[in-house]
Amino acid sequence: MLIRIVRMTFQPEKVAEFLAVFEKSKHKIRAMPGCYRLELLRDIDQPNVFMTYSYWQDVEALNHYRDSELFKTTWAKTKVLFADKPLAYSVERLEELG
């Protein structure tokens, strides 16, 4: 399994617009083949900083999403709202303690 983490810093006055974009696309993203989970997190100290955690079957499933029209249109609406360059990481879980 691959976990994709994307950290995004938005212009403070554009946060509501981002949340509306996410609301419209979240179920479609989650329904993509190979997507097992999607989370949206917000920084406690910086309310204009968000992170998405998405869990994918493998890199091919993630790349299928990234090549999709859904990603292209959602990302186009999202990136114009940024206050800073986003950071993205693809990671794998090595251990989990419950």
Side-chain angles (χ1 to χ4, degrees):
M1 180 178 359
L2 178 147
I3 302 169
R4 182 73 169 178
I5 304 166
V6 181
R7 182 184 187 275
M8 301 166 286
T9 303
F10 293 97
Q11 300 168 50
E13 66 277 8
K14 300 291 186 177
V15 166
E17 194 172 338
F18 162 68
L19 292 172
V21 169
F22 187 80
E23 182 64 30
K24 289 180 182 177
S25 61
K26 65 185 180 185
H27 294 291
K28 295 174 188 173
I29 296 168
R30 177 58 185 86
M32 290 295 294
C35 182
Y36 298 136
R37 183 177 182 144
L38 175 63
E39 299 178 31
L40 177 64
L41 303 124
R42 180 184 235 166
D43 189 294
I44 291 173
D45 297 319
Q46 300 174 82
N48 64 316
V49 175
F50 292 81
M51 281 160 272
T52 56
Y53 276 45
S54 52
Y55 297 69
W56 298 89
Q57 178 179 341
D58 51 32
V59 70
E60 289 81 15
L62 173 61
N63 286 337
H64 175 75
Y65 164 62
R66 292 174 68 197
D67 292 335
S68 72
E69 193 59 33
L70 173 61
F71 175 82
K72 290 172 187 170
T73 58
T74 302
W75 193 246
K77 292 175 186 175
T78 302
K79 68 182 182 179
V80 297
L81 309 174
F82 291 149
D84 199 359
K85 182 179 175 182
L87 301 172
Y89 306 92
S90 293
V91 300
E92 62 182 345
R93 176 177 289 131
L94 297 180
E95 276 189 61
E96 179 179 358
L97 303 174

